[in-house]
């Protein structure tokens, strides 16, 4: 009898899982392993919202594995050390893991190799539809602009999705932690979505991707897939989602695939430039404005700009925010208030269930003008954006109850009302000077 270990990280699923697939092909028995690594907690990435979602994911995956004859083994400690200890216990002939792009993931892979040597097999293309490095421009290690990357991505060959295993045998007698013990004592957001592959696949089936092109910018309609948390934890495969969307076809599916390509794009940037997680990808010599009172007002959704406050309050309640609201609130912090993008990125990572290092940090840098945007001084005017993304004010009234009785577009400019609501703040900055700090800080005046 031969045994292989499938070390699961951000691939908590049965369907289209290259790590599980390879482990099952390489041995008679498979130990699906998840390690609660204190290094993740020390780095601040084990935020309560994500821990709660993770607990759901692990519970669901364990139940799915038990239905086909296996089980999920959960242990605490260094991922490399615990994997090596398990390999020693079981006499495992192989260890399989998905390739990551962050500095932490790379250190983990290096540590694994030191502990288990040639038994380690690292699988590209498990966390993205196209592996980082699979498409690169001549003489360079990554694409720095999305559009040429998108063209190259479209011309690239992607692997077909793997079927979910029908049977998987896990050795008996292995001690581990119960998935329920992963759940934190509290969460920061009361309206978190449930985690797990079962829920993810239900959401995909229920979502109308054909309408996506028409409604994805509309804040009040909330017509996006809301699948980002499930992609972050690997409850759904990006490869399979692309395949499913392309099978449906049409403008909505094409627009959705484009968003998945943005995800791949950011992963290939971070794979090539892991320091971009906290350093400017393209520094503009910003002299950021520092004002803790303004930053806290932004975090609390008390800026006086209703659409910005609505987005921040949705984030606080759900641990999730509409993509357009993310861009708008990020632009407000970095371009209107001209505060350091890292201030916002940290807050998002604390609350977002889908708090992914590549997507979060590089989207923040794109908005701040220190990343891959070819127009680094672009400003998303909060009032213009409010009129376009929430034309009837329904999104604002949903999340800012102080303005629930203000009709129509007037809700976006409450300071112009004859009787502005007494319990809603005045704007932090003059709406007519939205980009003044940016221009001064970058020496554009």
């Amino acid at each position: 009898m031969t045994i292989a270990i499938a070390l699961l990280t951000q691939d908590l699923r049965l369907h289209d899982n290259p790590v599980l697939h390879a482990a099952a092909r390489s041995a008679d028995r498979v130990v699906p392993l998840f390690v609660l690594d204190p290094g993740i907690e020390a780095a601040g990435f084990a935020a309560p919202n994500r821990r709660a979602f993770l607990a759901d994911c692990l519970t669901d995956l364990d139940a799915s594995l038990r239905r086909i004859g296996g089980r999920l083994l959960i242990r605490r400690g260094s991922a490399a050390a615990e994997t090596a200890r398990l390999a020693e216990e079981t006499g495992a002939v192989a260890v399989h893991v998905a390739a990551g792009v962050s500095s932490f993931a790379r250190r983990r892979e290096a540590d694994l190799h030191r502990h288990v040597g040639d038994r380690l097999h690292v699988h590209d293309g498990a966390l993205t539809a196209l592996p980082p490095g699979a498409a690169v421009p001549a003489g360079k290690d990554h694409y720095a602009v999305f559009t040429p990357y998108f063209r190259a991505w479209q011309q690239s060959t992607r692997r077909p999705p793997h079927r979910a295993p029908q049977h998987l045998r896990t050795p008996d007698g292995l001690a581990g932690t119960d998935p329920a013990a992963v759940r934190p004592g509290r969460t920061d957001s009361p309206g978190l979505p449930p985690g797990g592959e079962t829920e993810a696949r239900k959401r995909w089936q229920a979502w109308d991707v054909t309408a996506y092109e028409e409604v994805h910018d509309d804040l009040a309609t909330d017509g996006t897939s809301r699948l980002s948390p499930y992609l972050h934890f690997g409850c759904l495969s990006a490869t399979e989602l692309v395949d499913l969307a392309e099978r449906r076809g049409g403008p909505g599916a094409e627009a959705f695939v484009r968003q998945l390509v943005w995800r791949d794009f950011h992963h290939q940037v971070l794979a090539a430039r892991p320091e971009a997680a906290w350093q400017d990808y393209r520094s503009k010599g910003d002299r950021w404005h520092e004002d803790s009172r303004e930053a806290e007002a932004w975090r609390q959704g008390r800026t006086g700009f209703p659409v910005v406050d609505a987005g921040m309050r949705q984030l606080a309640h759900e641990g999730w925010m509409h993509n357009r609201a993310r861009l708008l609130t990020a632009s407000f912090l970095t371009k209107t208030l001209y505060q350091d993008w890292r201030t916002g990125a940290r807050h998002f990572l604390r609350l977002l269930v889908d708090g992914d290092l590549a997507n979060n940090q590089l989207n923040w840098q794109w908005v701040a003008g220190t990343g891959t945007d070819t127009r680094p001084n672009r400003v998303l005017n909060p009032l213009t954006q409010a009129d376009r993304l929430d034309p009837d004010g329904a999104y604002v009234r949903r999340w800012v109850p102080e303005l629930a009785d203000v009709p129509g577009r007037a809700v976006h400019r409450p300071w112009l009302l004859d009787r502005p609501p007494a319990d809603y703040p005045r704007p932090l900055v003059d709406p007519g000077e939205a980009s003044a700090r940016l221009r001064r800080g970058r020496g554009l005046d």
Side-chain angles (χ1 to χ4, degrees):
M1 180 182 71
T2 55
I3 295 174
I5 297 171
L7 177 59
L8 303 176
T9 55
Q10 289 178 269
D11 47 354
L12 304 179
R13 62 181 183 270
L14 292 188
H15 293 79
D16 189 40
N17 190 323
V19 171
L20 273 180
H21 180 79
R25 288 172 61 90
S26 68
D28 304 314
R29 301 285 189 272
V30 175
V31 184
L33 171 67
F34 185 86
V35 180
L36 296 165
D37 195 319
I40 293 178
E41 295 184 18
F45 293 113
N49 284 354
R50 286 193 295 281
R51 282 290 294 268
F53 194 88
L54 172 63
D56 287 348
C57 296
L58 297 176
T59 300
D60 180 73
L61 180 57
D62 183 53
S64 297
L65 285 166
R66 289 177 185 275
R67 283 193 290 271
I68 61 172
R71 61 175 283 238
L72 178 64
L73 187 68
I74 302 173
R75 291 191 170 177
R76 296 178 183 268
S78 159
E82 289 302 318
T83 302
R85 187 174 293 113
L86 180 62
E88 181 69 20
E89 289 177 32
T90 61
V93 299
V95 173
H96 298 269
V97 68
V101 300
S102 68
S103 296
F104 180 87
R106 292 183 174 189
R107 289 194 300 271
R108 179 177 60 206
E109 290 168 19
D111 288 344
L112 281 165
H113 191 267
R114 282 193 292 271
H115 278 78
V116 301
D118 293 340
R119 287 178 291 173
L120 180 65
H121 302 274
V122 180
H123 298 273
D124 292 324
L127 308 184
T128 54
L130 189 69
V136 296
K140 298 182 180 180
D141 59 0
H142 73 291
Y143 278 95
V145 178
F146 175 74
T147 300
Y149 175 77
F150 185 39
R151 288 195 293 264
W153 188 97
Q154 290 176 307
Q155 298 301 315
S156 298
T157 300
R158 302 184 303 277
R159 66 170 180 81
H162 299 296
R163 291 184 177 181
Q166 299 300 304
H167 304 283
L168 198 73
R169 296 292 301 277
T170 300
D172 296 327
L174 298 174
T177 299
D178 188 280
V182 177
R183 188 173 301 279
R186 64 169 184 84
T187 61
D188 290 314
S189 303
L192 296 179
E197 181 181 17
T198 301
E199 178 67 22
R201 300 187 78 80
K202 286 180 181 178
R203 289 185 178 231
W204 166 254
Q205 291 295 332
W207 180 55
D208 182 12
V209 69
T210 61
Y212 181 69
E213 172 65 9
E214 297 178 2
V215 303
H216 73 280
D217 280 348
D218 190 326
L219 292 174
T221 298
D222 195 11
T224 62
S225 71
R226 285 183 173 255
L227 294 178
S228 54
Y230 304 96
L231 279 164
H232 172 65
F233 283 93
C235 304
L236 285 173
S237 153
T239 297
E240 186 185 18
L241 278 182
V242 169
D243 183 70
L244 291 170
E246 289 180 340
R247 288 173 184 271
R248 292 192 186 183
E254 291 172 4
F256 179 62
V257 169
R258 186 179 177 90
Q259 292 304 309
L260 293 172
V261 181
W262 266 106
R263 182 176 181 272
D264 280 9
F265 172 71
H266 286 146
H267 278 76
Q268 61 97 37
V269 172
L270 192 64
R273 299 289 183 272
E275 68 277 6
W278 294 108
Q279 297 176 21
D280 290 347
Y281 179 75
R282 289 173 174 154
S283 177
K284 301 300 176 184
D286 286 292
R287 301 184 296 277
W288 297 109
H289 176 75
E290 295 184 13
D291 189 318
S292 59
R293 179 188 63 86
E294 290 183 353
E296 185 59 21
W298 175 83
R299 283 189 284 265
Q300 295 296 326
R302 300 282 295 171
T303 69
F305 287 81
V307 74
V308 173
D309 294 341
M312 297 305 294
R313 295 184 193 190
Q314 181 182 25
L315 171 63
H317 182 79
E318 296 187 348
W320 184 89
M321 194 197 306
H322 191 289
N323 178 56
R324 291 299 164 183
R326 297 187 197 204
L327 295 177
L328 198 160
T329 55
S331 180
F332 184 84
L333 182 72
T334 59
K335 297 292 181 65
T336 302
L337 299 182
Y338 191 51
Q339 299 235 5
D340 194 327
W341 64 268
R342 282 158 282 245
T343 299
R346 288 189 185 93
H347 182 68
F348 272 30
L349 280 179
R350 184 174 73 83
L351 293 180
L352 282 173
V353 178
D354 60 23
D356 182 273
L357 197 64
N359 289 324
N360 187 67
Q361 310 304 85
L362 292 172
N363 268 316
W364 267 97
Q365 290 223 49
W366 187 91
V367 173
T370 63
T372 61
D373 189 6
T374 55
R375 292 171 52 197
N377 297 317
R378 181 197 314 258
V379 176
L380 301 180
N381 183 293
L383 300 181
T384 303
Q385 292 291 311
D387 291 338
R388 185 174 76 85
L389 302 175
D390 189 29
D392 298 323
Y395 178 72
V396 165
R397 282 187 289 274
R398 182 183 307 158
W399 291 108
V400 186
E402 306 97 301
L403 304 177
D405 295 330
V406 180
R409 291 192 177 192
V411 76
H412 296 310
R413 297 166 178 80
W415 57 86
L416 297 181
L417 297 172
D418 292 336
R419 292 186 176 182
D423 54 351
Y424 186 71
R426 297 281 299 176
L428 281 179
V429 294
D430 187 322
E433 298 180 2
S435 61
R437 291 184 185 179
L438 168 69
R439 299 189 63 81
R440 287 195 299 270
R442 287 194 173 163
L444 298 174
D445 285 333

